[in-house]
């Protein structure tokens, strides 16, 4: 296996090139953050994901990253992501080596969702808060560019345009079950995999892979502008 530190270092350097800092923080949308927890297992990068509790009103049973809405006491999007990860899976903030923030997304409630990338130890034992999380599992990051089970689903985005949504089905041998990863969660996982591996996935994506950073920002700004226009026309 490649040494853990070399795998981490290479990934860290690539991800840092895509750091947006607080560039989008002042957009007038309600804020939320998710933590994309990376770990190295057997020389390969993996992502930790959660399954939302069936008791939750919104999106029960769906796969997502630890995260949620920002609160008044949060200093920034990183604070929000770390606080939520602690509340949901018992991940202590000091156990996360935060790398950076990536280009945000907009969820179906029109929240500006910022993905925060951080490394955690592969020995981390999650203690899910049953009110919020029913399960925790890990997926090799490479699965998001070379999936065994993938389909693109048509959907209408928040600004009324028909788009394609990535949907990955991952069979986890540890849990002996399949997990469906789609929506914004799949979008962030795929983007992180594209950054780190820098290769064409086995399916079509709406990025210019030679100019991934600028095309991801353009995609986001187009979505934001069209949402803004639609809000205005609904007034």
């Amino acid at each position: 296996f490649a040494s853990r530190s070399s795998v981490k270092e290479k990934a860290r350097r690539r991800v840092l090139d895509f750091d947006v800092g607080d560039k989008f923080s002042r957009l007038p949308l309600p804020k939320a953050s998710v933590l994309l927890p990376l770990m190295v297992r057997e020389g390969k990068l993996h992502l930790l994901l959660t399954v939302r509790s069936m008791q939750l009103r919104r999106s029960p049973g769906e796969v997502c990253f630890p995260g949620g809405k920002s609160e008044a006491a949060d200093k920034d999007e990183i604070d929000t992501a770390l606080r939520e990860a602690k509340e949901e899976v018992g991940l202590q903030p000091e156990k996360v080596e935060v790398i950076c923030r990536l280009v945000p997304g907009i969820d179906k409630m029109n929240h500006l969702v910022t993905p925060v990338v951080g490394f955690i130890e592969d020995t981390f034992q999650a203690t899910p808060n049953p009110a919020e999380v029913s399960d925790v599992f890990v997926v090799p990051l490479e699965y998001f560019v070379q999936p065994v089970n993938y389909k693109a689903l048509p959907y209408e985005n928040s600004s009324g345009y028909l788009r394609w949504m990535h949907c990955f089905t991952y069979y986890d041998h540890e849990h002996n079950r399949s997990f469906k990863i789609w929506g914004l969660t799949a979008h962030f996982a795929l983007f992180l995999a594209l950054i780190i591996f820098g290769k064409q996935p086995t399916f079509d994506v709406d990025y210019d892979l030679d100019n991934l950073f600028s095309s991801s920002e353009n995609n986001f700004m187009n979505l934001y502008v069209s949402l803004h226009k639609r809000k205005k026309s609904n007034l």
Side-chain angles (χ1 to χ4, degrees):
F1 298 130
S3 82
R4 173 174 307 184
S5 57
S6 72
V7 170
K8 275 179 75 168
E9 195 43 51
K10 199 170 158 190
R12 186 191 287 111
R13 279 203 307 270
R14 284 188 180 258
V15 175
L16 272 172
D17 285 343
F18 285 75
D19 184 12
V20 297
D22 60 1
K23 182 173 180 176
F24 299 101
S25 303
R26 282 172 286 283
L27 291 177
L29 288 174
K31 307 280 188 291
S33 288
V34 291
L35 182 67
L36 277 52
L38 275 173
M39 63 174 79
V40 182
R41 269 194 182 176
E42 298 177 338
K44 285 187 158 59
L45 291 165
H46 289 68
L47 266 178
L48 180 133
L49 291 141
T50 69
V51 181
R52 289 172 64 82
S53 162
M54 293 308 287
Q55 302 164 29
L56 290 169
R57 209 173 57 236
R58 198 165 64 79
S59 310
E62 284 190 10
V63 170
C64 62
F65 288 111
K69 287 188 276 200
S70 80
E71 292 181 0
D74 297 339
K75 288 198 297 288
D76 56 17
E77 295 93 345
I78 294 170
D79 241 25
T80 303
L82 294 177
R83 176 182 53 73
E84 287 282 346
K86 183 182 176 184
E87 287 170 15
E88 290 179 12
V89 295
L91 178 60
Q92 298 299 325
E94 63 274 11
K95 297 284 187 194
V96 183
E97 182 198 328
V98 173
I99 305 172
C100 68
R101 290 169 272 194
L102 301 177
V103 173
I106 297 173
D107 70 7
K108 45 187 183 271
M109 311 293 288
N110 292 335
H111 286 93
L112 182 76
V113 184
T114 299
V116 175
V117 184
F119 272 111
I120 63 171
E121 288 300 326
D122 66 325
T123 51
F124 168 65
Q125 293 289 319
T127 48
N129 171 354
E132 298 193 48
V133 172
S134 65
D135 227 330
V136 177
F137 64 105
V138 298
V139 181
L141 183 63
E142 207 155 5
Y143 193 83
F144 296 103
V145 284
Q146 291 182 312
V148 176
N149 190 331
Y150 168 86
K151 57 178 184 279
L153 305 174
Y155 80 108
E156 194 181 292
N157 69 16
S158 49
S159 35
Y161 289 104
L162 192 69
R163 300 290 294 269
W164 292 93
M165 177 161 45
H166 304 291
C167 179
F168 302 89
T169 304
Y170 177 70
Y171 183 77
D172 182 62
H173 292 281
E174 223 171 289
H175 288 75
N176 206 12
R177 60 169 279 208
S178 289
F179 294 100
K180 184 176 150 191
I181 306 160
W182 60 293
L184 208 49
T185 303
H187 169 82
F188 288 148
L190 166 63
F191 186 55
L192 184 60
L194 291 174
I195 289 172
I196 289 176
F197 299 117
K199 64 182 176 192
Q200 176 74 45
T202 54
F203 49 89
D204 289 335
V205 290
D206 55 357
Y207 293 115
D208 171 358
L209 294 177
D210 295 323
N211 299 288
L212 186 55
F213 189 62
S214 56
S215 84
S216 65
E217 288 199 328
N218 290 344
N219 285 2
F220 170 73
M221 285 314 296
N222 290 340
L223 177 64
Y224 175 71
V225 168
S226 56
L227 173 70
H228 199 63
K229 281 183 183 155
R230 193 176 185 192
K231 272 188 176 167
K232 270 183 154 166
S233 67
N234 288 342
L235 291 177

